[in-house]
PDB file of all heavy atoms in Angstrom:
ATOM      1  N   THR A 322     320.074 213.453 -20.299  1.00  0.00           N
ATOM      2  CA  THR A 322     318.907 213.599 -19.425  1.00  0.00           C
ATOM      3  C   THR A 322     317.750 212.810 -20.053  1.00  0.00           C
ATOM      4  O   THR A 322     317.977 211.877 -20.800  1.00  0.00           O
ATOM      5  CB  THR A 322     318.565 215.089 -19.224  1.00  0.00           C
ATOM      6  OG1 THR A 322     318.431 215.679 -20.505  1.00  0.00           O
ATOM      7  CG2 THR A 322     319.644 215.782 -18.430  1.00  0.00           C
ATOM      8  N   SER A 324     314.053 210.479 -19.537  1.00  0.00           N
ATOM      9  CA  SER A 324     313.633 209.417 -18.613  1.00  0.00           C
ATOM     10  C   SER A 324     314.508 208.173 -18.707  1.00  0.00           C
ATOM     11  O   SER A 324     314.722 207.482 -17.703  1.00  0.00           O
ATOM     12  CB  SER A 324     312.197 208.985 -18.922  1.00  0.00           C
ATOM     13  OG  SER A 324     311.340 210.083 -18.888  1.00  0.00           O
ATOM     14  N   THR A 325     314.992 207.865 -19.898  1.00  0.00           N
ATOM     15  CA  THR A 325     315.616 206.554 -20.114  1.00  0.00           C
ATOM     16  C   THR A 325     316.804 206.277 -19.196  1.00  0.00           C
ATOM     17  O   THR A 325     316.869 205.190 -18.612  1.00  0.00           O
ATOM     18  CB  THR A 325     316.019 206.397 -21.594  1.00  0.00           C
ATOM     19  OG1 THR A 325     314.902 206.755 -22.393  1.00  0.00           O
ATOM     20  CG2 THR A 325     316.449 204.968 -21.896  1.00  0.00           C
ATOM     21  N   ASP A 353     323.233 218.358 -23.684  1.00  0.00           N
ATOM     22  CA  ASP A 353     322.430 219.454 -24.231  1.00  0.00           C
ATOM     23  C   ASP A 353     321.781 220.273 -23.117  1.00  0.00           C
ATOM     24  O   ASP A 353     321.854 219.907 -21.949  1.00  0.00           O
ATOM     25  CB  ASP A 353     321.369 218.903 -25.210  1.00  0.00           C
ATOM     26  CG  ASP A 353     320.691 217.632 -24.695  1.00  0.00           C
ATOM     27  OD1 ASP A 353     320.784 217.345 -23.491  1.00  0.00           O
ATOM     28  OD2 ASP A 353     320.074 216.928 -25.500  1.00  0.00           O
ATOM     29  N   GLY A 418     320.164 208.667 -24.934  1.00  0.00           N
ATOM     30  CA  GLY A 418     318.807 208.172 -25.142  1.00  0.00           C
ATOM     31  C   GLY A 418     318.482 208.447 -26.601  1.00  0.00           C
ATOM     32  O   GLY A 418     319.315 208.978 -27.347  1.00  0.00           O
ATOM     33  N   HIS A 424     316.157 211.375 -32.792  1.00  0.00           N
ATOM     34  CA  HIS A 424     317.192 212.338 -32.377  1.00  0.00           C
ATOM     35  C   HIS A 424     318.072 211.764 -31.275  1.00  0.00           C
ATOM     36  O   HIS A 424     317.627 210.948 -30.472  1.00  0.00           O
ATOM     37  CB  HIS A 424     316.586 213.690 -31.964  1.00  0.00           C
ATOM     38  CG  HIS A 424     315.830 213.696 -30.670  1.00  0.00           C
ATOM     39  ND1 HIS A 424     314.506 214.065 -30.582  1.00  0.00           N
ATOM     40  CD2 HIS A 424     316.200 213.398 -29.392  1.00  0.00           C
ATOM     41  CE1 HIS A 424     314.107 214.001 -29.321  1.00  0.00           C
ATOM     42  NE2 HIS A 424     315.116 213.598 -28.587  1.00  0.00           N
ATOM     43  N   GLY A 426     321.046 213.527 -28.455  1.00  0.00           N
ATOM     44  CA  GLY A 426     321.188 214.904 -28.012  1.00  0.00           C
ATOM     45  C   GLY A 426     319.898 215.561 -28.459  1.00  0.00           C
ATOM     46  O   GLY A 426     318.825 214.954 -28.414  1.00  0.00           O
ATOM     47  N   ARG A 453     305.659 216.557 -20.665  1.00  0.00           N
ATOM     48  CA  ARG A 453     305.359 215.916 -19.380  1.00  0.00           C
ATOM     49  C   ARG A 453     306.202 216.470 -18.222  1.00  0.00           C
ATOM     50  O   ARG A 453     305.842 216.318 -17.070  1.00  0.00           O
ATOM     51  CB  ARG A 453     305.538 214.396 -19.488  1.00  0.00           C
ATOM     52  CG  ARG A 453     306.968 213.917 -19.717  1.00  0.00           C
ATOM     53  CD  ARG A 453     306.959 212.425 -20.060  1.00  0.00           C
ATOM     54  NE  ARG A 453     308.278 211.804 -20.065  1.00  0.00           N
ATOM     55  CZ  ARG A 453     309.158 211.908 -21.053  1.00  0.00           C
ATOM     56  NH1 ARG A 453     308.870 212.631 -22.131  1.00  0.00           N
ATOM     57  NH2 ARG A 453     310.319 211.282 -20.981  1.00  0.00           N
ATOM     58  N   LYS A 488     309.951 203.277 -28.680  1.00  0.00           N
ATOM     59  CA  LYS A 488     311.272 203.531 -29.261  1.00  0.00           C
ATOM     60  C   LYS A 488     311.632 202.488 -30.320  1.00  0.00           C
ATOM     61  O   LYS A 488     312.707 202.577 -30.938  1.00  0.00           O
ATOM     62  CB  LYS A 488     312.345 203.552 -28.154  1.00  0.00           C
ATOM     63  CG  LYS A 488     312.134 204.612 -27.092  1.00  0.00           C
ATOM     64  CD  LYS A 488     312.336 206.013 -27.648  1.00  0.00           C
ATOM     65  CE  LYS A 488     311.971 207.114 -26.662  1.00  0.00           C
ATOM     66  NZ  LYS A 488     312.857 207.214 -25.515  1.00  0.00           N
TER      67      LYS A 488
HETATM   68  C1  F6R B 114     318.498 214.321 -23.357  1.00  0.00           C
HETATM   69  C2  F6R B 114     318.629 214.052 -24.765  1.00  0.00           C
HETATM   70  C3  F6R B 114     317.539 213.473 -25.588  1.00  0.00           C
HETATM   71  C4  F6R B 114     316.837 212.294 -24.916  1.00  0.00           C
HETATM   72  C5  F6R B 114     315.710 211.781 -25.803  1.00  0.00           C
HETATM   73  C6  F6R B 114     314.967 210.631 -25.191  1.00  0.00           C
HETATM   74  O1  F6R B 114     319.709 214.867 -22.841  1.00  0.00           O
HETATM   75  O2  F6R B 114     319.663 214.354 -25.261  1.00  0.00           O
HETATM   76  O3  F6R B 114     318.092 213.036 -26.804  1.00  0.00           O
HETATM   77  O4  F6R B 114     317.768 211.279 -24.673  1.00  0.00           O
HETATM   78  O5  F6R B 114     314.815 212.833 -26.047  1.00  0.00           O
HETATM   79  O6  F6R B 114     314.315 211.064 -24.041  1.00  0.00           O
HETATM   80  P1  F6R B 114     313.604 210.032 -23.058  1.00  0.00           P
HETATM   81  O7  F6R B 114     314.687 209.208 -22.460  1.00  0.00           O
HETATM   82  O8  F6R B 114     312.933 210.908 -22.033  1.00  0.00           O
HETATM   83  O9  F6R B 114     312.652 209.248 -23.884  1.00  0.00           O
END
Side-chain angles (χ1 to χ4, degrees):
T322 54
S324 305
T325 311
D353 42 17
H424 71 238
R453 67 190 190 281
K488 300 292 173 68

